[in-house]
Amino acid sequence: MRLDKYLKVSRIIKRRTVANDACDAGRVMVNGKVAKASADVKEGDRLDIEFGNRKVSVEVTRIVESTKKEDAKEMFKYL
């Protein structure tokens, strides 16, 4: 799944355009490398995302095309 779509579906970032902008600005890293919005995300990947002055690290645990808000938390775990 594309990185920007994963960030939106998992509700780490609320809008896909915002996720796309964050990737273009170099604020999203996949497994320690700066990633473009079109990068593929697989289960077990580590995502590091910078939100202003805060940094969030998560591990991808599940990939689904769409999910309910309650089930979105099962798609990743905080590190």
Side-chain angles (χ1 to χ4, degrees):
M1 176 181 285
R2 286 177 56 107
L3 176 59
D4 59 344
K5 184 172 182 182
Y6 177 80
L7 292 171
K8 190 250 184 227
V9 171
S10 65
R11 290 175 172 79
I12 295 172
I13 297 179
K14 296 198 188 280
R15 291 186 178 81
R16 190 166 177 180
T17 55
V18 175
N20 203 332
D21 292 342
C23 293
D24 290 343
R27 293 188 307 234
V28 181
M29 300 177 85
V30 177
N31 297 325
K33 297 178 183 174
V34 176
K36 293 183 178 179
S38 61
D40 283 334
V41 176
K42 302 177 291 293
E43 291 181 11
D45 283 350
R46 177 188 172 123
L47 306 178
D48 297 311
I49 306 145
E50 293 179 25
F51 292 107
N53 60 354
R54 198 177 79 178
K55 191 170 185 178
V56 176
S57 297
V58 297
E59 180 181 340
V60 178
T61 56
R62 211 171 86 181
I63 294 182
V64 291
E65 291 298 316
S66 64
T67 185
K68 295 180 182 176
K69 184 177 180 181
E70 299 81 28
D71 299 333
K73 295 175 185 161
E74 297 173 6
M75 293 182 66
F76 62 93
K77 71 176 184 182
Y78 289 104
L79 300 175

